[in-house]
């Protein structure tokens, strides 16, 4: 008996009669049967074209059991020849639900709605991107292509297809829709599984990778730089600068307190060079407070005659004292006596603590030395100067007499008539009456650079020139003569350097400075010795304008 409801096929001649008929009709023996789609009318048995009976569906296990039973009934007796299978090849077990439950139906409906919402969202997104790119019309068609497959794969609520099949169909529809959009050139493209991202996505990915690489390199370089600075700073030791003895001597660098020692030596020399028989004891006691125990307490004076000091000042000379090393120096003190004589004393000074300058003491007897040699001044080169004699005469007769008169008296109103608005303070201040009665003796106005000698020189407005002026002042205007005495007649000659500016109204003074160089140079005391004694002064006051200690009203030469 043949089971017509079985869906399994036999092996070789052990198949059912229905299957043998199909093999004889169109399939060759031993060929694999391929399922062909059939319409409901073609699949219906003869005699049931309109309403074919629906056979009851059986489970996979029942079908397998029926196939095994049919094979046992139709098997040949005897041993199985070699090369033939002893057990029939059963179809794969497929677990299919007998009927879809309500829960599965609801789940399928939800999946279908979700697919529809996703398709609508993709369509709106494609339209927005199309509007941004100016291709709104082109992006609408691919979006509809995406929505159509998603809606076609949706199953009715009563369908027996599981929810997984609906989700797979939606995914395949999304892939096919993405391919369609890629072919149409629209905005939003869904890549194939395992495929590459669109061109815009690849550019973004490359930019991110490049940014990460650059950031990493910058961080590495910064770390190396910081580490190098730390290591270099810790490894390089900054030592003290070593100076040679020549450099120390050239720049007079020393730890010895020169200022404190020079002041101490000036006080001692003032006491030493001031004496009189009446104050010999007081002078001796004062000298002992400065000198060491073996120093002459009278500082070389024999007690005869009188003498005072007008000024005692360190002349800048320093000589090392080898016996005391860094604690002692010979200092040169220049002294101007009441007799008018100028001399220099070499004084040995000891300092106990050079760092603080304390513990000062005169460590020996003083010695009188000649004055330092004087030099000669070089001649001033004036070959390139061109003197404008016309301008010199004009300034001497018209401009400078009135200016110096107002300048000597500090007449502010008068100075405004001769000075520029931007004149210097020295040009607008004046001498405040210290000198009066000026007489312009000589004016040398220098022509601008590049001027030819003995040529007519023209000046533009705002052009400045330099002038050397010599003025003879008649005396002090503020000095009030005593009753019965004539006014002072002493005159002095002074030299000035002026800067004048040409304007539309004439020449005006911008700046005044004192002192003019001697173009000849040399020395005025050529042939005279530096130690020649000057003419003694009458009744010279002591230093500071007060009588020196022990000085008589009329000092005499010892």
């Amino acid at each position: 008996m043949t089971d017509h409801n079985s869906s399994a096929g036999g092996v070789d001649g052990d198949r059912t009669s229905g299957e043998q008929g199909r093999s004889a009709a169109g399939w060759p023996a031993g060929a694999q049967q391929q399922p062909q789609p059939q319409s409901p009318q073609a699949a219906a048995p003869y005699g049931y074209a309109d309403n074919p009976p629906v056979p009851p569906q059986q489970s996979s296990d029942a079908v397998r059991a029926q196939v095994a039973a049919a094979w046992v009934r139709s098997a040949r007796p005897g041993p199985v020849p070699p090369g033939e299978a002893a057990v029939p090849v059963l179809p794969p077990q497929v677990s299919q639900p007998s009927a879809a439950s309500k829960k599965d139906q609801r789940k399928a409906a939800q999946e279908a709605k979700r697919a529809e919402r996703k398709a609508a969202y993709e369509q709106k997104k494609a339209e927005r991107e199309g509007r941004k790119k100016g291709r709104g019309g082109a992006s609408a068609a691919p979006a509809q292509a995406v929505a159509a497959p998603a809606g076609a794969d949706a199953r009715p609520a009563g369908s027996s297809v599981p929810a997984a099949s609906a989700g797979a169909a939606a995914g395949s529809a999304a892939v096919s829709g993405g391919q369609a959009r890629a072919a149409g050139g629209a905005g939003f493209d869904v890549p194939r599984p395992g495929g590459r991202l669109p061109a815009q996505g690849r550019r973004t990915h490359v930019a991110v990778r490049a940014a990460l690489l650059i950031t990493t390199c910058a961080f590495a370089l910064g770390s190396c730089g910081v580490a190098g600075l730390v290591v270099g700073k810790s490894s390089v030791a900054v030592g003290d600068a070593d100076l040679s003895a020549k450099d120390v001597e050239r720049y007079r660098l020393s730890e010895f307190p020169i200022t404190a020692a020079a002041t101490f030596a000036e006080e001692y020399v003032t006491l030493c060079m001031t004496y009189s028989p009446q104050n010999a004891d007081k002078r001796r006691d004062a000298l002992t407070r400065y000198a060491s125990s073996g120093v002459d307490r009278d500082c070389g004076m024999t007690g005869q005659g009188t003498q005072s000091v007008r000024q005692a000042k360190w002349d800048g000379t320093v000589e090392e004292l080898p016996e005391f090393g860094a604690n002692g120096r010979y200092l040169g003190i220049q002294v101007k006596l009441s007799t008018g004589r100028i001399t220099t004393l070499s004084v040995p000074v000891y300092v106990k603590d050079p760092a603080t300058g304390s513990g000062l003491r005169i460590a020996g007897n003083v010695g009188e030395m000649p004055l330092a040699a004087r030099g000669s001044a070089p001649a001033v080169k004036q070959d390139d100067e061109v003197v404008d004699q016309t301008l010199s005469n004009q300034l001497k007769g018209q401009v400078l007499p009135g200016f110096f008169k107002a300048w000597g008296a500090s007449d502010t109103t008068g100075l405004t008539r001769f000075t520029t608005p931007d004149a210097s303070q020295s040009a607008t201040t004046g001498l405040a009456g210290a000198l009066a009665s000026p007489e312009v003796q000589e004016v040398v106005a220098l022509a601008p650079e590049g001027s030819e000698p003995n040529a007519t020189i023209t000046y533009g407005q705002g052009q400045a020139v330099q002038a050397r002026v010599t003025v003879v002042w008649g005396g002090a205007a503020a000095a009030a003569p005593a009753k019965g005495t004539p006014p002072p007649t002493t005159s002095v000659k002074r030299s000035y350097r002026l800067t004048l500016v040409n304007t539309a109204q004439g020449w005006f003074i911008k700046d005044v400075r004192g002192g003019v160089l001697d173009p000849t140079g040399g020395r005025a005391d050529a042939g005279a010795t530096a130690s020649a004694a000057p003419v003694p002064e009458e009744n010279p006051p002591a230093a500071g304008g007060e009588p020196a200690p022990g000085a008589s009203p009329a000092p005499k030469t010892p």
Side-chain angles (χ1 to χ4, degrees):
M1 181 177 181
T2 303
D3 187 359
H4 295 282
N5 295 327
S6 176
S7 61
V11 179
D12 296 336
D14 297 334
R15 293 176 296 184
T16 61
S17 59
E19 293 176 352
Q20 291 175 359
R22 286 192 298 272
S23 176
W27 295 339
Q32 181 68 28
Q33 299 179 10
Q34 298 294 335
Q36 298 294 331
Q38 297 179 359
S39 62
Q41 290 80 5
Y46 296 99
Y48 302 97
D50 297 332
N51 297 315
V54 180
Q57 296 182 358
Q58 298 179 357
S59 63
S60 178
D61 295 338
V63 172
R64 293 168 64 87
Q66 291 178 4
V67 172
W71 181 84
V72 171
R73 287 194 299 271
S74 62
R76 295 192 301 268
V80 179
E84 294 185 3
V87 180
V89 179
L90 300 180
Q93 183 178 0
V94 180
S95 58
Q96 296 181 355
S98 59
S101 61
K102 293 183 179 181
K103 182 177 180 182
D104 296 337
Q105 294 176 2
R106 288 194 301 270
K107 187 174 182 181
Q110 293 175 358
E111 293 290 342
K113 292 180 180 180
R114 188 179 296 108
E116 292 177 0
R117 290 195 300 269
K118 183 175 181 181
Y121 170 75
E122 297 294 342
Q123 181 180 2
K124 293 181 180 179
K125 185 176 180 180
E127 291 177 357
R128 288 195 300 269
E129 293 181 355
R131 285 194 297 270
K132 292 181 180 179
K133 297 180 180 180
R135 300 195 300 256
S139 62
Q144 294 176 0
V146 174
D153 289 338
R155 296 293 184 268
S159 176
S160 61
V161 180
S165 300
S172 62
V175 173
S176 62
Q179 296 173 357
R181 282 196 297 275
F188 182 77
D189 295 336
V190 179
R192 295 178 180 179
R196 294 183 178 181
L197 294 174
Q200 183 176 2
R202 288 198 298 270
R203 288 195 297 268
T204 304
H205 183 62
V206 172
V208 172
R209 293 181 62 183
L212 292 177
L213 180 60
I214 293 174
T215 304
T216 304
C217 294
F219 180 77
L221 291 176
S223 301
C224 294
V226 173
L229 291 175
V230 173
V231 173
K233 185 176 181 180
S234 59
S235 60
V236 178
V238 180
D240 297 335
D242 295 334
L243 297 177
S244 62
K246 185 177 181 181
D247 294 335
V248 173
E249 182 180 359
R250 177 187 303 174
Y251 299 106
R252 296 184 178 183
L253 302 177
S254 175
E255 296 181 355
F256 189 81
I258 297 293
T259 304
T263 303
F264 186 78
E266 290 170 359
E267 295 174 357
Y268 178 76
V269 169
T270 301
L271 291 173
C272 177
M273 300 298 289
T274 301
Y275 58 88
S276 68
Q278 295 81 3
N279 299 327
D281 296 337
K282 293 181 179 180
R283 174 177 172 273
R284 186 181 299 108
D285 294 339
L287 289 173
T288 56
R289 293 195 294 268
Y290 287 85
S292 58
S293 59
V295 176
D296 185 3
R297 295 189 177 185
D298 292 326
C299 194
M301 295 297 140
T302 60
Q304 297 178 1
T306 59
Q307 181 177 279
S308 63
V309 175
R310 296 193 59 190
Q311 185 181 13
K313 187 177 181 180
W314 174 51
D315 61 1
T317 59
V318 180
E319 183 182 353
E320 292 187 0
L321 207 163
E323 291 79 3
F324 293 148
N327 296 76
R329 292 290 187 275
Y330 288 104
L331 301 181
I333 307 298
Q334 189 177 85
V335 183
K336 184 176 182 181
L337 302 175
S338 58
T339 59
R341 187 170 67 92
I342 300 176
T343 185
T344 300
L345 297 180
S346 180
V347 183
V349 181
Y350 169 81
V351 180
K352 182 178 181 181
D353 187 1
T356 60
S358 60
L360 293 166
R361 183 66 61 176
I362 301 300
N365 297 319
V366 299
E368 190 165 347
M369 301 293 294
L371 296 175
R374 304 298 193 263
S376 300
V380 179
K381 186 178 180 180
Q382 296 180 344
D383 299 339
D384 298 336
E385 295 182 350
V386 177
V387 179
D388 188 352
Q389 193 62 42
T390 303
L391 179 59
S392 300
N393 297 334
Q394 179 184 355
L395 295 176
K396 180 179 179 180
Q398 302 176 9
V399 180
L400 297 181
F403 168 73
F404 278 104
K405 183 178 180 180
W407 190 69
S410 295
D411 184 3
T412 306
T413 305
L415 287 174
T416 56
R417 298 173 51 238
F418 298 96
T419 57
T420 60
D422 58 343
S424 64
Q425 184 178 4
S426 60
T428 57
T429 302
L431 299 178
L435 297 175
S437 303
E439 179 184 353
V440 180
Q441 188 178 56
E442 183 182 7
V443 177
V444 178
L446 303 179
E449 295 183 1
S451 301
E452 296 294 335
N454 302 325
T456 303
I457 303 173
T458 58
Y459 300 92
Q461 292 189 9
Q463 189 171 3
V465 297
Q466 304 294 325
R468 296 191 290 264
V469 182
T470 302
V471 180
V472 177
W473 298 91
K483 292 181 180 181
T485 59
T489 59
T490 304
S491 61
V492 292
K493 182 188 294 186
R494 298 291 180 260
S495 300
Y496 303 94
R497 292 167 290 138
L498 274 67
T499 302
L500 298 97
V501 179
N502 184 32
T503 65
Q505 292 78 23
W507 291 94
F508 289 82
I509 289 85
K510 184 178 181 179
D511 188 22
V512 177
R513 296 182 181 276
V516 175
L517 288 178
D518 174 23
T520 58
R523 53 183 300 175
D525 59 344
T529 59
S531 59
V535 179
E537 301 178 2
E538 296 181 0
N539 300 327
E546 297 180 0
S552 60
K556 300 178 182 180
T557 304

